[in-house]
Amino acid sequence: MTGLAHWKGRLRIGDFLACWSGSVGDTIPHRHFAAQAVFADDPVEVIDSQGQRYKGRCLLIEPEAVHCLLPASDAELWYVEPTIQFGPPNDLKARLNGVKQVHVTSDRGTGFWKAWLALEPRRPLDARIVRAAKTIDRLIEAGPVRLADAARESDLSLGRFRHLFTAEIGMPFQRYVLWRRLLIAFDAIGGQHSATEAAHMAGFSDSAHFARTIKAMFGICASDLMIEG
């Protein structure tokens, strides 16, 4: 198999979504925590752990599914937090429903994508959770962020706040914090900070910790993203 030597493009991070836009370089069979949707004008191909090939303009890969995405000159790779409890934004949902979907299954079948597309988008957040989110961003650089710190201004018990946070944000507290760390780190890199500086600004212990998190979440090596220490 021959392909592109390097990935070339941009990875954008949100609160529960990330999107790679550009070329797809050489890959090896791997798995990652995030669910993945691959869009391309020309059909792209994935090989699963059993050697089965999937080909299409919209590939939906289940969380933790072992797969190898073959090189492509131009594609969009969307990554979705699999614990999310609300549906895709309307524009992404319309895009997903507007093309023929090819499902790349895991040992658990195709449960994530079918369930996620049936959910409604997130509603505007409760004001208490908006305040909590601002607290999280303020504390992130220092390292660990505790639920109790975020709950302090809510006037709720810790148990009630935990329930409200998950219901409003749509994912467990620490998963949200992790996405915020990634977003802050990538914003810092976009602002010409080094990977080490970005890692510290986002509360990662060092650039190696940041790189391991990227690999676990998205299956992409930091070196493929041209991120250096």
Side-chain angles (χ1 to χ4, degrees), residues 41-229:
D41 291 335
D42 296 319
V44 291
E45 195 167 2
V46 161
I47 304 173
D48 70 11
S49 60
Q50 305 302 313
Q52 182 174 343
R53 290 175 177 260
Y54 303 79
K55 190 173 184 178
R57 293 183 175 86
C58 177
L59 303 174
L60 302 183
I61 302 170
E62 290 290 308
E64 300 289 359
V66 176
H67 64 283
C68 177
L69 179 62
L70 301 190
S73 60
D74 188 33
E76 279 189 8
L77 279 54
W78 286 84
Y79 300 90
V80 184
E81 166 62 40
T83 67
I84 203 69
Q85 296 176 20
F86 56 85
N90 287 326
D91 54 348
L92 180 57
K93 186 171 185 176
R95 188 174 181 187
L96 286 163
N97 287 331
V99 294
K100 180 181 179 181
Q101 302 166 2
V102 178
H103 288 264
V104 181
T105 63
S106 69
D107 294 341
R108 302 169 187 170
T110 59
F112 172 80
W113 285 105
K114 290 180 179 179
W116 194 53
L117 286 169
L119 296 175
E120 294 298 319
R122 183 163 66 186
R123 303 182 305 273
L125 294 178
D126 184 292
R128 292 168 293 187
I129 300 305
V130 172
R131 292 196 298 272
K134 291 178 179 178
T135 298
I136 290 168
D137 282 357
R138 189 171 67 249
L139 297 174
I140 266 180
E141 185 174 357
V145 180
R146 301 182 307 155
L147 183 73
D149 295 327
R152 190 162 292 127
E153 297 179 20
S154 69
D155 295 324
L156 296 172
S157 69
L158 204 57
R160 289 182 63 195
F161 176 80
R162 186 195 304 274
H163 176 78
L164 179 65
F165 187 93
T166 300
E168 290 285 312
I169 292 292
M171 71 182 81
F173 179 79
Q174 290 300 336
R175 295 302 303 173
Y176 174 79
V177 172
L178 179 59
W179 278 95
R180 294 302 297 173
R181 291 193 195 283
L182 289 168
L183 188 155
I184 289 167
F186 274 91
D187 278 353
I189 289 170
Q192 304 306 308
H193 290 276
S194 70
T196 298
E197 291 170 335
H200 289 153
M201 291 168 69
F204 293 105
S205 56
D206 52 30
S207 60
H209 181 200
F210 177 33
R212 289 194 301 271
T213 302
I214 295 170
K215 181 68 173 177
M217 284 288 289
F218 310 128
I220 303 176
C221 294
S223 57
D224 287 329
L225 299 176
M226 309 302 176
I227 296 173
E228 302 175 352

